[in-house]
Amino acid sequence: MKDIQALFRANRSLEEAGPMEAYMKNQFTFLGIKAGKRKKLLAEFIKENGAPTDLLDYVIVLFKEEEREFQHVAIDLLSRYGKEQPREAIQVYEKLIVTKSWWDTVDGLAGTIISNHFKLYPDLIPTYNEAWINGENIWLARTAILFQLKYKEQTDTELLFSNCEKWLGSKEFFIQKAIGWALRQYAKVDSDAVHVFVNTHPLAPLSRREALKHIGDT
């Protein structure tokens, strides 16, 4: 692909960048390109230049860029063109999870990219889930907890509850939030099972509130 970075930097907005950086706790530099414009610029670029032929290598390059929009562009590209990548792509996705990690990129990768990849190659789940949920990196653990968000009736309930159990004692906001989010989502499928889990495990108050948000306490 030609230099998409130049296109985006030519469309930077210092006026928009400030509030975007503040929203992300000033952890990243922004060009000031909001999601709608980002997607429009990317669509126009692809229309003119075509889709990337070296997608996995290209998203790694984008994740190395300083400005946060480029990590979002990488996820946009994976969402659009990465649905049937080779099984070894999981190694790239794992690398992206731990690169410039924060909820915005991790959730995009976990809830869509990795979620779809595990559906395509379910035999990968045991190995990677075990490593992520038993490791010390909170973003890999969050990914393990969240990757089944869209699985609905196909959710491996035993795995979901086991993943949550292993991090119940965590003080990390993003882990507590992930546990509650995952349980809340599964409650749409089996609210009774979520009620039982919540009432028999010492969830953090945040996790409990999130889990019961739409089904109420019992």
Side-chain angles (χ1 to χ4, degrees):
M1 291 181 77
K2 294 183 180 179
D3 192 357
I4 195 172
Q5 292 93 323
L7 172 65
F8 272 74
R9 288 179 176 131
N11 283 272
R12 71 168 68 238
S13 169
L14 295 178
E15 182 179 354
E16 296 288 356
M20 293 171 75
E21 291 172 0
Y23 178 69
M24 296 298 287
K25 309 295 184 183
N26 293 307
Q27 293 196 86
F28 308 103
T29 299
F30 277 79
L31 293 169
I33 300 174
K34 293 185 176 180
K37 185 173 183 180
R38 182 188 81 234
K39 292 179 183 296
K40 182 178 180 181
L41 286 172
L42 179 58
E44 292 173 352
F45 185 86
I46 291 173
K47 183 177 180 180
E48 181 177 343
N49 300 283
T53 56
D54 52 348
L55 179 61
L56 295 179
D57 290 336
Y58 196 70
V59 297
I60 291 175
V61 170
L62 290 175
F63 257 73
K64 292 178 180 178
E65 294 292 340
E66 179 181 2
E67 297 91 347
R68 193 58 167 172
E69 285 87 348
F70 292 120
Q71 285 90 66
H72 293 161
V73 168
I75 294 173
D76 290 340
L77 286 169
L78 287 171
S79 298
R80 186 168 180 177
Y81 299 109
K83 295 179 180 178
E84 294 189 5
Q85 293 299 307
R87 58 189 295 110
E88 295 78 15
I90 188 62
Q91 298 169 21
V92 174
Y93 302 153
E94 182 179 53
K95 182 176 181 178
L96 299 183
I97 286 288
V98 298
T99 301
K100 299 184 179 179
S101 307
W102 199 243
W103 63 266
D104 57 329
T105 54
V106 171
D107 292 0
L109 290 163
T112 300
I113 312 305
I114 291 174
S115 174
N116 291 339
H117 197 71
F118 279 159
K119 279 191 173 183
L120 193 60
Y121 305 105
D123 60 297
L124 292 174
I125 295 175
T127 298
Y128 282 89
N129 183 86
E130 182 177 0
W132 295 350
I133 204 66
N134 290 315
E136 297 182 356
N137 186 290
I138 66 165
W139 300 109
L140 290 174
R142 182 176 169 97
T143 299
I145 293 168
L146 295 179
F147 81 85
Q148 296 192 88
L149 275 179
K150 300 177 183 178
Y151 281 18
K152 299 181 180 179
E153 288 80 6
Q154 296 178 350
T155 299
D156 182 335
T157 311
E158 183 178 350
L159 184 64
L160 169 64
F161 289 156
S162 174
N163 284 347
C164 291
E165 282 178 338
K166 290 181 179 179
W167 284 79
L168 286 181
S170 175
K171 304 298 184 183
E172 291 285 351
F173 170 84
F174 291 109
I175 291 294
Q176 294 182 3
K177 188 79 171 181
I179 290 172
W181 186 11
L183 293 174
R184 185 178 78 227
Q185 196 72 5
Y186 187 63
K188 298 176 182 179
V189 176
D190 190 344
S191 60
D192 290 341
V194 172
H195 271 133
V196 169
F197 183 84
V198 168
N199 290 326
T200 55
H201 292 79
L203 271 70
L206 172 60
S207 300
R208 184 181 180 90
R209 285 197 305 272
E210 288 293 319
L212 299 175
K213 190 171 184 178
H214 299 307
I215 60 175
D217 207 342
T218 58

